[in-house]
Amino acid sequence: MIDFINSIVVLLNFIIIPGLSYGPQLALGALGVTFVYAILRFANFAHGELMSFGAMITILFTWFFQSQNIGLGVLPTALLALPFGILATILLGLVSDKFVFKYYRTQKSVPVVLAMVSIGVMFVVNAVIRIIIGTNTIKFSDGQKFIMKAKEFKIMTGLNEGLALKSSQVITILITIALVTFTFWFLQKTKTGKSMRAFSDNEDLALLSGISPDRVVFITWLIVGTLACVAGTLYGLDKSYKPIIYLNLVLPIFASAIVGGIGSPFGAVVGGYIIAFSEITVTYAYKKFFKYLLPDSLEPSSLVQLLSTDYKFAVSFTILVIVLLIRPSGIFRGKVL
Amino acid sequence: MKFDKYEWTAISIMVSLFILVGFVQSWSVSLVILNMCIISAIMTMGVNISWGYAGVINFGVMGFLAMGGLAAVLVSYPPIKESWQVGGFGLGISFILLVSLVTAVYFINKLVEKKSHKYWLNGLVIFFGLLIIRYFFLNATSKIEEVDPALAGFLGGANLPIIFSWVVGGFFAAGVAFIIGKVALGLRSDYLAIVTLGISEIVVSVLKHEEWLSRGVKNVIGLKRPVPYEINLQSSDWFINLVIWFNSSKLNQIIDLDQKQQILNNLIINSSSLLVKLNYAILFFIVMIIIYYFANKAQISPWGRMMRAIRDNEVSANAMGKDIVKQHLIIFVIGAAIVGVAGAMLVTLDGLFTPSGYRPLRFTFIVWIMVIVGGSGNNLGAIFGGFVIWFAWIEVAPITTFLINLFTSGLDPQNAVRIHLLNSVPYFRYLLMGLVLLLILRYRPKGIIPEKVRHS
């Protein structure tokens, strides 16, 4: 029985908790991508840089607050700086829309051209970030790091295996729940949210019924900026901030959005979790888990690992390709908000 | 191949820029840039063929380049016999098993009627098949990787002249492109962009981590060259005589014999490296001209016309009886093959294969910027885009340094802002690339040298 509990703890510690905290980061990113896709109708390659930009501004404000000795006690200072980061990200989104995307929208360009344009924006934002903050790895989480340390858990329960719970993981999960709930409430219940869904569903009909496109676009960037900044900051808090990571993160985010059904917010969240969990479960070495479950004679000699961790990114893409082959519109029949 | 006035201007501006760099910086720098420009131009032509002719998006440039690079290693590196002895048998078995697995799946798909049965059966066969293959495969590869890990640890290659790899690289890339095309073509263009980008990441991560094949992150160095080595040139009589003859007027002015010899030695060293680079440039130039010739021929042929018809209006082309899926696949594969050739040439030029060096920003997006800036649908435009953008990519750094120094000259040399800016000079090139792309897309969406509208 103890062995069984031990094995469950191993799973919790190495798969479920990391998955639960990595999933929301992808999900928030995918939600942003899906919003842009559903309302502005293009695949935004610059989304990763938007996240990175938000995280960068948050870091700058965190540094400022730290130098002024303003803090939140046990909570990371970054949470205090987050609103400023969100404002800056929204501003960046609006500026890029005003000076770049709007022109192509009024021209009714094909989506591919807009995707190219977003690559241009990606390069510019990327360069600005690197010029401002450099390319080094930055750790900016402070406050209490662990809610529960592996050692404390061992002493508390008397089990062989430890269970660690980082505060950044709990913060990630809580903020994500709050943000996602708010987004869904907004889309389903408020008038603006409904008008956005109408706009996404049928632009011409929405315009005919008096919905202002400028307002819809404005609100979209508000939401996208908020989501991107929060996702970027949470990822940076949990792992660490490094500009180049966000470029690599774009691909799993796109995978999450498409797997869930691009354009469907619910799909984006589910997709984020699917990608996160499959990346972790496929590359985890289950040796320890089976050691507890199986009798000694059957103990596995190898690592019992399906794929080496080097292929983490490949996993999300394999899933993406499989989904596109079997069900091109994604799990939740996307395209409409 | 008649160029109009505008195209001649573009060509002459480019040539004069190289000459300018030759005089201002050095001829060596100029040739180094030129070599990479030519390779970039070949990449751009590859992308241009699929995007410009037929509107098929290909964001997998990085993966195809890496396949070309792999070809360069597999063709030219001497085989490592020991590795073959310990692991060849296991690899052979796993290969045979893989082939039989694929045939099994093929027949299941053909023979089993009911859809749900098909999925289950396929899943089971693939799962257990892979499990068995894994056993043999991992055994073999781990043995191979243990063979002299510091120097070898992989299978080696075929020990042929590296120039063959340029063709082989094309075929490698074409093979991968065929699989990708079978899977992904038919998706909407922006989906296709994301999928090709993702698959190219998978290709690169395979090359990075399958050490038995490509030595992975340990890199392969010291590849053969299609051109002579500097050391050999420096000791050959004809080359020394050539240098003396070339610089005779300059050497004759010097009377002191010791000094003369010293200057001559310097000249020989410099000109040997110049000659090597020039040789590369000539080889690459020939390849570029050949590809350009055929690409142009294809564009004005009936096939090219059909491609434009498909690009401009898929529905009506389909109504005229053109098989769009097939043509898209063909042109995707051709484009990828040309990119593969460029990948092999790139590795040949560097003399080393570093899988971790393949990054999408540098190898996919920059190539796309080249195509868009140069002019999609026009081969000369693509070449010009490759030249201009690579030239800018290299020359931005010295120019930015100069500008920063100029604008901050009033500040104290230890000023934090100034030092920070000077440290971030390399990132200004990304800024420039992004701005150039945005400006071109806005004000000249057809590129600097746009496609010619043909009425035929």
Side-chain angles (χ1 to χ4, degrees), chain A residues 37 99 103-104 112 116 127 131-132 135 251 254 262 305-306 310-311 317 324, chain B residues 59 134 183 188-189 191 194-195 198 201 209-210 368 420 427 431 437 441-442:
Chain A
Y37 194 89
F99 289 103
Y103 172 80
Y104 300 93
V112 175
M116 296 286 174
I131 289 168
I132 292 179
T135 51
L251 291 174
F254 267 117
I262 198 159
Q305 192 180 19
L306 285 175
D310 308 323
Y311 288 114
F317 267 90
L324 282 175
Chain B
F59 267 16
R134 234 177 92 94
V183 174
R188 267 187 45 184
S189 51
Y191 275 34
I194 294 164
V195 170
E201 287 274 9
H209 304 301
E210 296 303 318
W368 267 90
H420 184 86
Y427 313 128
L431 188 67
L437 179 65
L441 276 172
R442 178 74 167 260

mmCIF file of all heavy atoms in Angstrom, chain A residues 37 99 103-104 112 116 127 131-132 135 251 254 262 305-306 310-311 317 324, chain B residues 59 134 183 188-189 191 194-195 198 201 209-210 368 420 427 431 437 441-442:
data_model
loop_
_atom_site.group_PDB
_atom_site.id
_atom_site.type_symbol
_atom_site.label_atom_id
_atom_site.label_comp_id
_atom_site.label_asym_id
_atom_site.label_seq_id
_atom_site.Cartn_x
_atom_site.Cartn_y
_atom_site.Cartn_z
ATOM 1 N N TYR A 37 -6.686 35.222 -34.080
ATOM 2 C CA TYR A 37 -7.085 34.467 -35.251
ATOM 3 C C TYR A 37 -8.574 34.623 -35.539
ATOM 4 O O TYR A 37 -9.000 34.778 -36.681
ATOM 5 C CB TYR A 37 -6.749 32.983 -35.059
ATOM 6 C CG TYR A 37 -6.818 32.214 -36.326
ATOM 7 C CD1 TYR A 37 -5.707 32.104 -37.140
ATOM 8 C CD2 TYR A 37 -7.994 31.619 -36.749
ATOM 9 C CE1 TYR A 37 -5.761 31.432 -38.321
ATOM 10 C CE2 TYR A 37 -8.061 30.938 -37.938
ATOM 11 C CZ TYR A 37 -6.940 30.849 -38.716
ATOM 12 O OH TYR A 37 -6.988 30.188 -39.896
ATOM 13 N N PHE A 99 -0.245 51.046 -36.647
ATOM 14 C CA PHE A 99 0.726 51.387 -37.674
ATOM 15 C C PHE A 99 0.953 50.269 -38.669
ATOM 16 O O PHE A 99 1.485 50.508 -39.741
ATOM 17 C CB PHE A 99 2.051 51.788 -37.032
ATOM 18 C CG PHE A 99 1.975 53.111 -36.354
ATOM 19 C CD1 PHE A 99 1.884 53.216 -34.989
ATOM 20 C CD2 PHE A 99 1.958 54.276 -37.116
ATOM 21 C CE1 PHE A 99 1.799 54.447 -34.374
ATOM 22 C CE2 PHE A 99 1.876 55.509 -36.514
ATOM 23 C CZ PHE A 99 1.789 55.595 -35.137
ATOM 24 N N TYR A 103 -3.705 48.697 -41.752
ATOM 25 C CA TYR A 103 -3.637 48.932 -43.189
ATOM 26 C C TYR A 103 -4.065 47.692 -43.974
ATOM 27 O O TYR A 103 -4.873 47.765 -44.897
ATOM 28 C CB TYR A 103 -2.217 49.334 -43.554
ATOM 29 C CG TYR A 103 -1.937 49.423 -45.021
ATOM 30 C CD1 TYR A 103 -2.315 50.544 -45.748
ATOM 31 C CD2 TYR A 103 -1.292 48.386 -45.686
ATOM 32 C CE1 TYR A 103 -2.058 50.633 -47.091
ATOM 33 C CE2 TYR A 103 -1.031 48.467 -47.035
ATOM 34 C CZ TYR A 103 -1.420 49.586 -47.736
ATOM 35 O OH TYR A 103 -1.171 49.667 -49.070
ATOM 36 N N TYR A 104 -3.521 46.542 -43.553
ATOM 37 C CA TYR A 104 -3.819 45.312 -44.295
ATOM 38 C C TYR A 104 -5.249 44.859 -44.061
ATOM 39 O O TYR A 104 -5.852 44.223 -44.913
ATOM 40 C CB TYR A 104 -2.829 44.215 -43.897
ATOM 41 C CG TYR A 104 -1.418 44.626 -44.193
ATOM 42 C CD1 TYR A 104 -0.639 45.231 -43.233
ATOM 43 C CD2 TYR A 104 -0.896 44.474 -45.471
ATOM 44 C CE1 TYR A 104 0.645 45.647 -43.514
ATOM 45 C CE2 TYR A 104 0.371 44.893 -45.771
ATOM 46 C CZ TYR A 104 1.145 45.483 -44.788
ATOM 47 O OH TYR A 104 2.390 45.910 -45.086
ATOM 48 N N VAL A 112 -2.224 35.106 -45.394
ATOM 49 C CA VAL A 112 -0.786 34.834 -45.450
ATOM 50 C C VAL A 112 0.011 36.123 -45.388
ATOM 51 O O VAL A 112 1.046 36.209 -44.710
ATOM 52 C CB VAL A 112 -0.445 34.065 -46.735
ATOM 53 C CG1 VAL A 112 1.038 33.897 -46.849
ATOM 54 C CG2 VAL A 112 -1.109 32.738 -46.737
ATOM 55 N N MET A 116 2.888 37.199 -42.736
ATOM 56 C CA MET A 116 4.213 37.737 -43.067
ATOM 57 C C MET A 116 4.458 39.028 -42.305
ATOM 58 O O MET A 116 5.539 39.258 -41.762
ATOM 59 C CB MET A 116 4.307 38.061 -44.560
ATOM 60 C CG MET A 116 4.188 36.884 -45.460
ATOM 61 S SD MET A 116 5.677 35.932 -45.402
ATOM 62 C CE MET A 116 5.162 34.560 -46.379
ATOM 63 N N ALA A 127 14.072 42.527 -31.662
ATOM 64 C CA ALA A 127 15.275 43.363 -31.596
ATOM 65 C C ALA A 127 15.164 44.356 -30.454
ATOM 66 O O ALA A 127 16.124 44.549 -29.698
ATOM 67 C CB ALA A 127 15.465 44.087 -32.926
ATOM 68 N N ILE A 131 17.732 44.666 -27.430
ATOM 69 C CA ILE A 131 18.506 45.891 -27.237
ATOM 70 C C ILE A 131 18.295 46.399 -25.815
ATOM 71 O O ILE A 131 19.231 46.852 -25.160
ATOM 72 C CB ILE A 131 18.103 46.947 -28.285
ATOM 73 C CG1 ILE A 131 18.620 46.529 -29.656
ATOM 74 C CG2 ILE A 131 18.673 48.307 -27.914
ATOM 75 C CD1 ILE A 131 18.061 47.329 -30.789
ATOM 76 N N ILE A 132 17.063 46.285 -25.315
ATOM 77 C CA ILE A 132 16.800 46.828 -23.979
ATOM 78 C C ILE A 132 17.388 45.940 -22.896
ATOM 79 O O ILE A 132 18.083 46.404 -21.996
ATOM 80 C CB ILE A 132 15.282 47.005 -23.769
ATOM 81 C CG1 ILE A 132 14.767 48.106 -24.693
ATOM 82 C CG2 ILE A 132 14.989 47.387 -22.318
ATOM 83 C CD1 ILE A 132 13.297 48.353 -24.581
ATOM 84 N N THR A 135 20.366 39.301 -23.801
ATOM 85 C CA THR A 135 19.896 37.941 -24.061
ATOM 86 C C THR A 135 20.160 37.010 -22.893
ATOM 87 O O THR A 135 19.997 35.808 -23.007
ATOM 88 C CB THR A 135 20.593 37.365 -25.299
ATOM 89 O OG1 THR A 135 21.991 37.549 -25.132
ATOM 90 C CG2 THR A 135 20.148 38.034 -26.558
ATOM 91 N N LEU A 251 5.798 27.868 -31.131
ATOM 92 C CA LEU A 251 5.354 26.656 -31.816
ATOM 93 C C LEU A 251 4.420 25.801 -30.955
ATOM 94 O O LEU A 251 3.331 25.456 -31.412
ATOM 95 C CB LEU A 251 6.563 25.866 -32.309
ATOM 96 C CG LEU A 251 7.286 26.595 -33.445
ATOM 97 C CD1 LEU A 251 8.556 25.885 -33.824
ATOM 98 C CD2 LEU A 251 6.388 26.707 -34.654
ATOM 99 N N PHE A 254 1.062 27.586 -30.841
ATOM 100 C CA PHE A 254 0.265 27.377 -32.053
ATOM 101 C C PHE A 254 -0.311 25.966 -32.056
ATOM 102 O O PHE A 254 -1.470 25.748 -32.407
ATOM 103 C CB PHE A 254 1.116 27.585 -33.302
ATOM 104 C CG PHE A 254 1.058 28.979 -33.822
ATOM 105 C CD1 PHE A 254 2.175 29.776 -33.869
ATOM 106 C CD2 PHE A 254 -0.142 29.504 -34.267
ATOM 107 C CE1 PHE A 254 2.116 31.073 -34.340
ATOM 108 C CE2 PHE A 254 -0.209 30.788 -34.737
ATOM 109 C CZ PHE A 254 0.916 31.576 -34.776
ATOM 110 N N ILE A 262 -8.591 26.078 -33.632
ATOM 111 C CA ILE A 262 -8.214 27.494 -33.570
ATOM 112 C C ILE A 262 -9.460 28.360 -33.719
ATOM 113 O O ILE A 262 -10.354 28.058 -34.498
ATOM 114 C CB ILE A 262 -7.131 27.832 -34.614
ATOM 115 C CG1 ILE A 262 -6.456 29.147 -34.253
ATOM 116 C CG2 ILE A 262 -7.694 27.866 -36.008
ATOM 117 C CD1 ILE A 262 -5.106 29.314 -34.882
ATOM 118 N N GLN A 305 11.362 4.982 -20.775
ATOM 119 C CA GLN A 305 11.081 6.315 -21.275
ATOM 120 C C GLN A 305 10.684 6.167 -22.740
ATOM 121 O O GLN A 305 11.389 5.506 -23.500
ATOM 122 C CB GLN A 305 12.358 7.142 -21.149
ATOM 123 C CG GLN A 305 12.183 8.605 -21.346
ATOM 124 C CD GLN A 305 13.513 9.305 -21.195
ATOM 125 O OE1 GLN A 305 14.565 8.690 -21.283
ATOM 126 N NE2 GLN A 305 13.467 10.607 -20.977
ATOM 127 N N LEU A 306 9.558 6.739 -23.115
ATOM 128 C CA LEU A 306 9.106 6.559 -24.493
ATOM 129 C C LEU A 306 10.010 7.304 -25.469
ATOM 130 O O LEU A 306 10.397 6.785 -26.504
ATOM 131 C CB LEU A 306 7.667 7.054 -24.639
ATOM 132 C CG LEU A 306 6.611 6.125 -24.043
ATOM 133 C CD1 LEU A 306 5.257 6.771 -24.124
ATOM 134 C CD2 LEU A 306 6.612 4.792 -24.759
ATOM 135 N N ASP A 310 15.092 15.161 -25.223
ATOM 136 C CA ASP A 310 15.517 16.053 -26.308
ATOM 137 C C ASP A 310 14.386 16.307 -27.291
ATOM 138 O O ASP A 310 14.379 17.301 -27.996
ATOM 139 C CB ASP A 310 16.690 15.426 -27.063
ATOM 140 C CG ASP A 310 17.789 15.010 -26.121
ATOM 141 O OD1 ASP A 310 18.006 15.751 -25.143
ATOM 142 O OD2 ASP A 310 18.407 13.964 -26.343
ATOM 143 N N TYR A 311 13.437 15.380 -27.337
ATOM 144 C CA TYR A 311 12.387 15.506 -28.342
ATOM 145 C C TYR A 311 11.124 16.162 -27.805
ATOM 146 O O TYR A 311 10.048 15.983 -28.331
ATOM 147 C CB TYR A 311 12.038 14.136 -28.907
ATOM 148 C CG TYR A 311 13.116 13.600 -29.795
ATOM 149 C CD1 TYR A 311 13.835 12.479 -29.454
ATOM 150 C CD2 TYR A 311 13.427 14.256 -30.964
ATOM 151 C CE1 TYR A 311 14.839 12.006 -30.260
ATOM 152 C CE2 TYR A 311 14.430 13.790 -31.776
ATOM 153 C CZ TYR A 311 15.135 12.663 -31.412
ATOM 154 O OH TYR A 311 16.113 12.215 -32.221
ATOM 155 N N PHE A 317 4.551 18.762 -31.903
ATOM 156 C CA PHE A 317 4.296 18.826 -33.333
ATOM 157 C C PHE A 317 3.746 17.569 -33.915
ATOM 158 O O PHE A 317 2.941 17.597 -34.830
ATOM 159 C CB PHE A 317 5.548 19.271 -34.076
ATOM 160 C CG PHE A 317 5.424 20.696 -34.192
ATOM 161 C CD1 PHE A 317 5.931 21.505 -33.232
ATOM 162 C CD2 PHE A 317 4.617 21.212 -35.156
ATOM 163 C CE1 PHE A 317 5.685 22.825 -33.259
ATOM 164 C CE2 PHE A 317 4.372 22.539 -35.195
ATOM 165 C CZ PHE A 317 4.910 23.355 -34.250
ATOM 166 N N LEU A 324 -4.211 17.362 -37.258
ATOM 167 C CA LEU A 324 -4.539 17.976 -38.539
ATOM 168 C C LEU A 324 -4.940 16.934 -39.572
ATOM 169 O O LEU A 324 -5.742 17.185 -40.462
ATOM 170 C CB LEU A 324 -3.365 18.797 -39.058
ATOM 171 C CG LEU A 324 -3.201 20.164 -38.410
ATOM 172 C CD1 LEU A 324 -1.953 20.829 -38.903
ATOM 173 C CD2 LEU A 324 -4.399 21.039 -38.692
ATOM 174 N N PHE B 59 7.679 27.070 -44.945
ATOM 175 C CA PHE B 59 8.421 27.617 -43.809
ATOM 176 C C PHE B 59 9.398 26.593 -43.244
ATOM 177 O O PHE B 59 9.881 26.740 -42.148
ATOM 178 C CB PHE B 59 7.448 28.077 -42.710
ATOM 179 C CG PHE B 59 7.091 29.514 -42.811
ATOM 180 C CD1 PHE B 59 7.342 30.222 -43.968
ATOM 181 C CD2 PHE B 59 6.511 30.183 -41.753
ATOM 182 C CE1 PHE B 59 7.012 31.559 -44.074
ATOM 183 C CE2 PHE B 59 6.180 31.522 -41.849
ATOM 184 C CZ PHE B 59 6.428 32.205 -43.005
ATOM 185 N N ARG B 134 12.576 -0.564 -31.565
ATOM 186 C CA ARG B 134 13.308 0.210 -30.581
ATOM 187 C C ARG B 134 14.398 -0.618 -29.919
ATOM 188 O O ARG B 134 15.510 -0.148 -29.700
ATOM 189 C CB ARG B 134 12.331 0.673 -29.504
ATOM 190 C CG ARG B 134 12.312 2.132 -29.242
ATOM 191 C CD ARG B 134 11.244 2.392 -28.207
ATOM 192 N NE ARG B 134 11.824 2.350 -26.876
ATOM 193 C CZ ARG B 134 12.247 3.419 -26.237
ATOM 194 N NH1 ARG B 134 12.169 4.595 -26.800
ATOM 195 N NH2 ARG B 134 12.754 3.324 -25.037
ATOM 196 N N VAL B 183 1.706 14.839 -46.203
ATOM 197 C CA VAL B 183 0.953 15.019 -44.966
ATOM 198 C C VAL B 183 0.217 16.353 -44.953
ATOM 199 O O VAL B 183 -0.968 16.423 -44.642
ATOM 200 C CB VAL B 183 1.907 14.923 -43.753
ATOM 201 C CG1 VAL B 183 1.156 15.247 -42.476
ATOM 202 C CG2 VAL B 183 2.515 13.544 -43.665
ATOM 203 N N ARG B 188 -4.826 24.894 -45.207
ATOM 204 C CA ARG B 188 -4.843 26.309 -45.556
ATOM 205 C C ARG B 188 -3.436 26.883 -45.415
ATOM 206 O O ARG B 188 -2.630 26.383 -44.649
ATOM 207 C CB ARG B 188 -5.772 27.050 -44.613
ATOM 208 C CG ARG B 188 -7.153 27.170 -45.140
ATOM 209 C CD ARG B 188 -7.915 28.060 -44.228
ATOM 210 N NE ARG B 188 -7.142 29.250 -43.867
ATOM 211 C CZ ARG B 188 -7.563 30.151 -43.016
ATOM 212 N NH1 ARG B 188 -8.705 29.985 -42.432
ATOM 213 N NH2 ARG B 188 -6.833 31.212 -42.746
ATOM 214 N N SER B 189 -3.168 27.968 -46.169
ATOM 215 C CA SER B 189 -1.779 28.412 -46.257
ATOM 216 C C SER B 189 -1.167 28.743 -44.905
ATOM 217 O O SER B 189 -0.010 28.412 -44.660
ATOM 218 C CB SER B 189 -1.687 29.607 -47.183
ATOM 219 O OG SER B 189 -2.626 30.573 -46.794
ATOM 220 N N TYR B 191 -1.965 27.530 -41.941
ATOM 221 C CA TYR B 191 -1.730 26.261 -41.249
ATOM 222 C C TYR B 191 -0.474 25.604 -41.798
ATOM 223 O O TYR B 191 0.358 25.108 -41.063
ATOM 224 C CB TYR B 191 -2.895 25.293 -41.480
ATOM 225 C CG TYR B 191 -4.058 25.441 -40.549
ATOM 226 C CD1 TYR B 191 -4.430 26.677 -40.055
ATOM 227 C CD2 TYR B 191 -4.782 24.329 -40.159
ATOM 228 C CE1 TYR B 191 -5.507 26.800 -39.207
ATOM 229 C CE2 TYR B 191 -5.862 24.448 -39.310
ATOM 230 C CZ TYR B 191 -6.225 25.682 -38.847
ATOM 231 O OH TYR B 191 -7.282 25.796 -38.013
ATOM 232 N N ILE B 194 2.639 26.988 -40.392
ATOM 233 C CA ILE B 194 2.953 26.546 -39.033
ATOM 234 C C ILE B 194 3.437 25.100 -39.039
ATOM 235 O O ILE B 194 4.411 24.751 -38.375
ATOM 236 C CB ILE B 194 1.719 26.709 -38.133
ATOM 237 C CG1 ILE B 194 1.392 28.191 -37.986
ATOM 238 C CG2 ILE B 194 1.951 26.094 -36.777
ATOM 239 C CD1 ILE B 194 0.020 28.445 -37.463
ATOM 240 N N VAL B 195 2.760 24.269 -39.846
ATOM 241 C CA VAL B 195 3.136 22.849 -39.855
ATOM 242 C C VAL B 195 4.532 22.660 -40.422
ATOM 243 O O VAL B 195 5.352 21.923 -39.856
ATOM 244 C CB VAL B 195 2.104 22.036 -40.655
ATOM 245 C CG1 VAL B 195 2.600 20.633 -40.885
ATOM 246 C CG2 VAL B 195 0.798 21.998 -39.916
ATOM 247 N N GLY B 198 7.032 23.665 -37.926
ATOM 248 C CA GLY B 198 7.163 22.677 -36.868
ATOM 249 C C GLY B 198 7.925 21.453 -37.318
ATOM 250 O O GLY B 198 8.794 20.954 -36.602
ATOM 251 N N GLU B 201 11.507 21.981 -37.375
ATOM 252 C CA GLU B 201 12.081 21.876 -36.021
ATOM 253 C C GLU B 201 12.323 20.416 -35.658
ATOM 254 O O GLU B 201 13.329 20.078 -35.042
ATOM 255 C CB GLU B 201 11.129 22.486 -34.988
ATOM 256 C CG GLU B 201 11.055 23.998 -35.013
ATOM 257 C CD GLU B 201 12.131 24.644 -34.163
ATOM 258 O OE1 GLU B 201 13.026 23.920 -33.703
ATOM 259 O OE2 GLU B 201 12.079 25.867 -33.983
ATOM 260 N N HIS B 209 20.021 15.044 -32.084
ATOM 261 C CA HIS B 209 20.082 14.046 -31.033
ATOM 262 C C HIS B 209 20.358 12.629 -31.513
ATOM 263 O O HIS B 209 20.617 11.766 -30.696
ATOM 264 C CB HIS B 209 18.805 14.088 -30.208
ATOM 265 C CG HIS B 209 18.562 15.454 -29.651
ATOM 266 N ND1 HIS B 209 19.471 16.065 -28.832
ATOM 267 C CD2 HIS B 209 17.585 16.350 -29.831
ATOM 268 C CE1 HIS B 209 19.033 17.264 -28.513
ATOM 269 N NE2 HIS B 209 17.894 17.464 -29.118
ATOM 270 N N GLU B 210 20.277 12.376 -32.815
ATOM 271 C CA GLU B 210 20.631 11.036 -33.293
ATOM 272 C C GLU B 210 22.125 11.031 -33.595
ATOM 273 O O GLU B 210 22.556 11.219 -34.731
ATOM 274 C CB GLU B 210 19.824 10.670 -34.536
ATOM 275 C CG GLU B 210 18.332 10.567 -34.283
ATOM 276 C CD GLU B 210 17.991 9.558 -33.207
ATOM 277 O OE1 GLU B 210 18.582 8.468 -33.193
ATOM 278 O OE2 GLU B 210 17.129 9.861 -32.361
ATOM 279 N N TRP B 368 12.927 34.086 -45.962
ATOM 280 C CA TRP B 368 11.634 34.592 -46.441
ATOM 281 C C TRP B 368 11.675 36.092 -46.657
ATOM 282 O O TRP B 368 11.082 36.598 -47.607
ATOM 283 C CB TRP B 368 10.528 34.210 -45.455
ATOM 284 C CG TRP B 368 9.920 32.923 -45.878
ATOM 285 C CD1 TRP B 368 10.298 31.681 -45.507
ATOM 286 C CD2 TRP B 368 8.866 32.760 -46.824
ATOM 287 N NE1 TRP B 368 9.544 30.749 -46.155
ATOM 288 C CE2 TRP B 368 8.651 31.393 -46.967
ATOM 289 C CE3 TRP B 368 8.093 33.651 -47.564
ATOM 290 C CZ2 TRP B 368 7.693 30.876 -47.812
ATOM 291 C CZ3 TRP B 368 7.141 33.143 -48.397
ATOM 292 C CH2 TRP B 368 6.947 31.774 -48.523
ATOM 293 N N HIS B 420 26.007 50.163 -23.287
ATOM 294 C CA HIS B 420 24.894 49.232 -23.500
ATOM 295 C C HIS B 420 24.536 49.148 -24.978
ATOM 296 O O HIS B 420 24.372 48.068 -25.537
ATOM 297 C CB HIS B 420 23.690 49.693 -22.681
ATOM 298 C CG HIS B 420 22.531 48.759 -22.748
ATOM 299 N ND1 HIS B 420 22.406 47.678 -21.914
ATOM 300 C CD2 HIS B 420 21.451 48.718 -23.565
ATOM 301 C CE1 HIS B 420 21.323 47.031 -22.204
ATOM 302 N NE2 HIS B 420 20.716 47.636 -23.197
ATOM 303 N N TYR B 427 22.035 43.098 -32.331
ATOM 304 C CA TYR B 427 20.583 42.955 -32.400
ATOM 305 C C TYR B 427 19.942 43.973 -33.322
ATOM 306 O O TYR B 427 18.793 43.819 -33.694
ATOM 307 C CB TYR B 427 19.982 43.049 -30.997
ATOM 308 C CG TYR B 427 20.722 42.199 -30.009
ATOM 309 C CD1 TYR B 427 21.200 42.701 -28.825
ATOM 310 C CD2 TYR B 427 21.010 40.869 -30.326
ATOM 311 C CE1 TYR B 427 21.924 41.915 -27.956
ATOM 312 C CE2 TYR B 427 21.732 40.088 -29.465
ATOM 313 C CZ TYR B 427 22.194 40.609 -28.284
ATOM 314 O OH TYR B 427 22.908 39.829 -27.448
ATOM 315 N N LEU B 431 16.360 44.376 -35.991
ATOM 316 C CA LEU B 431 15.506 45.554 -36.109
ATOM 317 C C LEU B 431 15.403 45.971 -37.572
ATOM 318 O O LEU B 431 14.319 46.185 -38.110
ATOM 319 C CB LEU B 431 16.089 46.683 -35.266
ATOM 320 C CG LEU B 431 15.233 47.921 -35.111
ATOM 321 C CD1 LEU B 431 14.012 47.591 -34.300
ATOM 322 C CD2 LEU B 431 16.014 49.027 -34.435
ATOM 323 N N LEU B 437 11.247 44.508 -43.916
ATOM 324 C CA LEU B 437 10.126 43.654 -44.315
ATOM 325 C C LEU B 437 8.813 44.427 -44.247
ATOM 326 O O LEU B 437 8.005 44.403 -45.184
ATOM 327 C CB LEU B 437 10.067 42.422 -43.411
ATOM 328 C CG LEU B 437 8.917 41.460 -43.722
ATOM 329 C CD1 LEU B 437 9.105 40.868 -45.098
ATOM 330 C CD2 LEU B 437 8.831 40.359 -42.699
ATOM 331 N N LEU B 441 6.544 45.355 -47.483
ATOM 332 C CA LEU B 441 5.187 44.816 -47.571
ATOM 333 C C LEU B 441 4.163 45.939 -47.690
ATOM 334 O O LEU B 441 3.106 45.772 -48.299
ATOM 335 C CB LEU B 441 4.881 43.971 -46.338
ATOM 336 C CG LEU B 441 5.351 42.525 -46.385
ATOM 337 C CD1 LEU B 441 5.177 41.865 -45.054
ATOM 338 C CD2 LEU B 441 4.581 41.756 -47.452
ATOM 339 N N ARG B 442 4.480 47.083 -47.110
ATOM 340 C CA ARG B 442 3.518 48.179 -47.135
ATOM 341 C C ARG B 442 3.577 48.930 -48.457
ATOM 342 O O ARG B 442 2.572 49.160 -49.111
ATOM 343 C CB ARG B 442 3.846 49.119 -45.969
ATOM 344 C CG ARG B 442 2.962 50.339 -45.873
ATOM 345 C CD ARG B 442 1.596 49.939 -45.343
ATOM 346 N NE ARG B 442 0.825 51.100 -44.962
ATOM 347 C CZ ARG B 442 0.692 51.531 -43.717
ATOM 348 N NH1 ARG B 442 1.319 50.921 -42.746
ATOM 349 N NH2 ARG B 442 -0.069 52.566 -43.459
#
